[in-house]
């Protein structure tokens, strides 16, 4: 029982130590192994959390409820496979002369620090500490973009991310004010667990106002409209950081929105949070489905496609029933896995062929198939799991709000069509010259590990997993 | 004693009102004026925090006031002046002033209309200061949206940090106050990550 509060703390501390070690390491190779060690240890610790008894002690500094634990396991898993992927990635970059040893070392250090910051944002029981974790994540992503000279993208992320963080901070302050008549003064009482207990007695109108700012602020970091350009800009940096790990930021932001939504839903005087969340989600999906037709650059295409799927998750959370939150969490989990795998495959392909990927499938079948499988999975085509979660969301929408099922279905179909067209183009394009060595098949293992999980959850979800998602949905309803 | 309490509230409202007026003035296209105005707005936010710290006997708010004054009104303006010295008297492209001012006024009215009725029972003065702080935030967001030059955008973000600091003062949250000071740290980072090739237009 006593181990429960220690493990989440260690899961944050070890990657942080690995980041410090990597920054001071004598070589990029040592830094890579430190990053791998930190991320693997964080995953092992996070994976142990579901098996420990959950102490519903509201006063603790770190959360260990099913939602926080689930997202921590997912984040640490993606970071771990990302660290395995990053070592050969940076070696190839050095061999090609696109990065020196110092850049590679800093890249590994930033990767570990980003994992620690994301885990703080997920596991912190204090909303302001969670905000600080998100702020650190944004700054680390900005630093990652600067690492490869993507100055304009770094500036765009800085401005949009900073504005989002400012709005989220304002929302958190309003939330504290709304709960203050029940909680009493003092920052030590502001905890997610306390807030969940007192939300029904909180000041309803102020809670509504707080939710609006939290939705706009964290929605920016999740990639929801109206400030949705930040994450697309982040795609331009080095793949292990901005391609793989930036895909985790929307999940962390959406989870915070989901917590705020649950607080608002519990208050009888507050306006229902669902319509605003559904509207932003649907608009994000429709905007992404239109933007995908025009997007040529593969990295930005992936970022925009994921923005649409994040919109689907937000829409599902907005519907607010147990079944839709179940489906939304499943969709978010699978999307995070698919996005990270696709970003890894895309980075390998670009190291081989540059931005023009023609002829990939004919000459490098394993790599071409990895990318094609990722695009098909992201399109929500069976047997991959995103079909299951998407189908559940559409089904529930048809049952609860039939009229909204039409734009949702159209948006999903348009996104799927654009992704399928991109997969077909990958197969049909004429061969282009190669600029680097072909990756060994073993280099694609992390991506295929992700696809295996996505396939498993789509074809035959274990009963224990169903029960786990149901617990999260029940707690957040 | 009641007269003193009334004075505390009046001065707090006055300071927030001055910060909002400075937010409107920040919509000017002249970069040099923007730097002076945002510095003045930070100083007003620091005085508002100090005033609230005195009235509530809060050490955390007093420390926040000192931090905002040091970072927002002294260190950042000094660093910004050094960066902008290469382009004296330059202007940023901006929409016509009447349209910008109308939009800013609409946002300020929206903040007051939405926040004032939502105030806590028994604490109307807190609702008024909060409404003015939210108005400063919304006007700063407008500025951030309409600016093209990186330095002008950074000033917009700085004004946003000032608005959030005023909101933290209105709420009286010590942890929130420190988080709002962290936003000034963000502005400092912005000075470093600002694209080197893009100067004032």
């Amino acid at each position: 029982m006593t181990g429960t509060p220690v493990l989440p703390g260690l899961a944050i501390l070890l990657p942080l130590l690995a980041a410090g070690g990597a920054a001071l390491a004598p070589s990029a190779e040592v830094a890579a192994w430190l990053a791998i060690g930190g991320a693997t240890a964080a995953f092992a610790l996070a994976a142990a959390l579901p098996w420990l008894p959950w102490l519903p002690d509201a006063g603790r500094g770190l959360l260990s409820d099913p939602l926080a634990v689930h997202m921590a396991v997912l984040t640490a898993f993606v970071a771990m496979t990302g660290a395995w992927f990053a070592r050969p990635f940076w070696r190839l970059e050095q061999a090609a002369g696109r990065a020196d040893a110092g850049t590679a070392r800093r890249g590994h250090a930033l990767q570990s620090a980003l994992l620690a910051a994301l885990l703080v944002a997920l596991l912190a029981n204090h909303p302001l500490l969670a905000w600080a974790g998100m702020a650190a994540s944004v700054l680390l992503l900005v630093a990652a973009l600067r690492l490869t000279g993507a100055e304009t993208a770094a500036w765009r992320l800085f401005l949009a991310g900073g504005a989002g963080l400012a709005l989220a901070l304002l929302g958190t302050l309003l939330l504290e004010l709304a709960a203050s008549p029940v909680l009493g003064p003092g920052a030590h009482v502001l905890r997610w667990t306390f807030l969940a207990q007192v939300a029904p007695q909180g000041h309803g109108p102020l809670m509504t106002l707080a939710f609006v700012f939290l939705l706009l602020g964290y929605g920016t970091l999740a990639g929801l409209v109206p400030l949705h350009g930040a994450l697309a800009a982040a795609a331009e940096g080095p793949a292990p950081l901005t391609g793989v790990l930036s895909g985790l930021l929307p999940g962390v932001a959406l989870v915070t929105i989901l917590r705020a939504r649950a607080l608002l839903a519990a208050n009888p005087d507050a306006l229902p949070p669902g319509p605003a969340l559904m509207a932003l989600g649907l608009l994000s999906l429709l905007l992404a489905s239109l933007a995908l037709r025009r997007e040529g650059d593969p990295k930005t295409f992936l970022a925009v496609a994921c923005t649409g799927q994040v919109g689907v998750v937000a829409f599902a959370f907005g519907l607010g029933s147990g079944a839709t939150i179940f489906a939304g969490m499943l969709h978010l989990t699978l999307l995070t896995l698919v996005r990270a795998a696709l970003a890894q495959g895309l980075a390998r392909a670009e190291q081989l062929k540059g931005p023009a990927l023609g002829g990939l499938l004919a000459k490098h079948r394993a790599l071409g198939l990895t990318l094609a499988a990722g695009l098909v999975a992201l399109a929500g085509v069976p047997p991959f799991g995103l079909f299951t979660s998407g189908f559940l969301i559409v089904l529930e929408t048809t049952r609860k709000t039939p009229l909204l099922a039409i734009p949702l279905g159209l948006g999903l179909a348009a996104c799927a069509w654009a992704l399928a067209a991109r997969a077909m183009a990958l197969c049909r394009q004429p061969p282009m010259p190669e600029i680097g060595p072909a990756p060994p098949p073993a280099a694609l293992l992390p991506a295929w590990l992700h696809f295996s999980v996505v396939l498993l959850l789509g074809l035959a979800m274990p009963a224990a997993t169903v029960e786990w998602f149901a617990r999260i949905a029940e707690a957040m309803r | 004693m009641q007269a003193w309490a009334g004075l505390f509230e009046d001065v707090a409202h006055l300071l927030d009102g001055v910060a909002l007026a400075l937010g409107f003035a920040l919509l000017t296209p002249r970069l040099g004026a923007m730097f002076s105005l945002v510095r003045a707005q930070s100083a007003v936010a620091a005085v508002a925090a100090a005033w609230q710290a005195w009235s509530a006997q809060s050490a955390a708010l007093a420390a926040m006031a000192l931090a905002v004054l040091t970072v927002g009104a002294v260190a950042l303006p000094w660093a910004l002046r050094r960066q902008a010295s290469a382009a004296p008297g330059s202007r940023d492209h901006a929409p016509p002033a009447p349209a910008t001012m109308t939009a800013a006024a609409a946002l300020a009215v929206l903040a007051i209309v939405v926040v004032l009725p939502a105030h806590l029972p028994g604490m109307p003065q807190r609702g008024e200061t909060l409404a003015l702080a939210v108005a400063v935030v919304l006007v700063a967001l407008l500025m951030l949206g309409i600016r093209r030059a990186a330095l002008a955008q950074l000033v917009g973000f700085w004004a946003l940090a000032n608005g959030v600091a005023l909101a933290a003062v209105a709420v009286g949250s010590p942890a929130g106050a420190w988080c709002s000071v962290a936003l000034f740290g963000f502005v400092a980072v912005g000075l470093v990550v600002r694209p080197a090739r893009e100067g004032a237009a």
Side-chain angles (χ1 to χ4, degrees), chain A residues 8-48:
Chain A
L10 273 178
I12 294 167
L13 187 65
L14 288 178
L16 203 60
L17 289 175
L24 301 170
S27 69
E29 189 65 8
V30 174
W33 283 111
L34 279 169
I36 290 172
T40 309
F43 173 64
L45 289 166

Side-chain angles (χ1 to χ4, degrees), chain A residues 249-267:
Chain A
L249 195 60
V252 180
L254 277 174
V255 161
T256 315
I257 292 173
L258 183 61
R259 285 192 190 281
R261 192 212 73 85
L263 295 180
L264 203 65
N267 190 296

Side-chain angles (χ1 to χ4, degrees), chain A residues 151 155 158-159 176-177 203 206, chain B residues 118 126 153 157 173 186 196:
Chain A
E151 286 186 1
W155 182 247
F158 169 80
L159 278 182
E176 184 176 352
L177 190 62
H203 191 260
L206 264 181
Chain B
R126 192 173 268 191
Q153 287 173 333
F157 186 70
S173 154
F186 248 78

Side-chain angles (χ1 to χ4, degrees), chain A residues 42-43 46 49 67-77 119 122-123:
Chain A
F43 173 64
L49 288 175
L67 178 62
V69 168
H70 174 77
M71 289 305 293
V73 174
L74 178 67
T75 301
F77 176 72
L119 287 176
L122 283 170
L123 294 172

Side-chain angles (χ1 to χ4, degrees), chain B residues 31-199:
Chain B
L31 274 176
M34 269 186 227
F35 299 158
S36 305
L37 288 165
V38 77
R39 178 186 195 171
Q41 199 183 38
S42 286
V44 170
V47 174
W51 186 255
Q52 184 66 26
W54 186 37
S55 74
Q57 298 294 303
S58 164
L61 283 179
M64 179 207 172
L66 193 65
V68 171
L69 189 71
T70 312
V71 181
V74 179
L76 283 175
W78 176 77
L80 193 64
R81 288 271 176 205
R82 277 174 65 94
Q83 286 213 0
S85 58
S90 49
R91 299 167 70 89
D92 182 31
H93 291 294
T100 317
M101 283 293 167
T102 308
L107 286 172
V109 169
L110 176 74
I112 289 162
V113 164
V114 170
V115 179
L116 267 188
H119 70 75
L120 287 167
M123 286 190 268
Q125 73 282 7
R126 192 173 268 191
E128 286 155 13
T129 48
L130 197 60
L132 288 167
V134 172
V136 174
V137 167
L138 294 185
V139 173
L141 271 179
L142 174 71
M143 183 184 173
L144 199 58
I146 61 171
R147 293 299 176 207
R148 287 195 203 159
L151 273 178
Q153 287 173 333
L154 191 63
V155 170
F157 186 70
W158 189 344
L160 194 57
N162 286 336
V164 175
L166 286 169
V169 171
V171 172
S173 154
W178 284 111
C179 285
S180 68
V181 171
L183 277 183
F184 287 96
F186 248 78
V187 181
V189 172
L191 282 172
V192 179
V193 302
R194 185 174 68 89
R197 280 166 295 165
E198 190 192 9

Side-chain angles (χ1 to χ4, degrees), chain A residues 120-346:
Chain A
V120 168
L122 283 170
L123 294 172
N125 198 359
H126 199 303
L128 286 172
L129 190 57
W131 178 88
M134 297 282 261
S137 307
V138 170
L139 283 182
L140 288 166
L141 281 174
V142 169
L145 286 168
R146 297 276 300 184
L147 204 61
T148 47
E151 286 186 1
T152 310
W155 182 247
R156 280 174 60 198
L157 177 64
F158 169 80
L159 278 182
L165 284 166
L167 291 176
L169 179 56
L170 184 60
T172 312
L173 290 170
L174 290 171
L175 197 61
E176 184 176 352
L177 190 62
S180 63
V182 193
L183 291 172
H188 62 282
V189 288
L190 187 71
R191 301 265 197 271
W192 286 120
T193 34
F194 274 135
L195 287 170
Q197 287 169 7
V198 303
Q201 296 96 48
H203 191 260
L206 264 181
M207 283 182 79
T208 306
L209 197 60
F211 180 75
V212 169
F213 281 108
L214 284 170
L215 179 58
L216 287 175
Y218 286 126
T220 303
L221 301 180
L224 295 175
V225 290
L227 294 166
H228 52 282
L231 287 177
E236 289 177 31
L241 282 151
T242 55
V244 178
L245 289 187
S246 75
L248 294 168
L249 195 60
V252 180
L254 277 174
V255 161
T256 315
I257 292 173
L258 183 61
R259 285 192 190 281
R261 192 212 73 85
L263 295 180
L264 203 65
N267 190 296
D269 299 328
L271 290 178
L277 202 46
M278 285 158 69
L280 289 195
L282 205 52
L283 278 175
S284 302
L285 173 66
L286 294 174
L287 209 68
S289 63
L290 292 175
L292 276 177
R293 290 178 166 276
R294 291 183 282 110
E295 207 49 71
D297 175 60
K299 281 181 182 174
T300 319
F301 180 85
L302 174 59
V304 173
C306 291
T307 299
Q309 298 295 342
V310 163
V312 176
V313 176
F315 182 85
F317 287 168
L319 278 171
S321 68
T324 53
I325 293 176
F326 178 104
M329 277 308 296
L330 180 61
H331 206 75
L332 179 61
T333 306
L334 298 170
L335 171 66
T336 306
L337 290 168
V338 170
R339 180 182 180 152
L342 254 175
Q344 289 183 15
L346 200 57

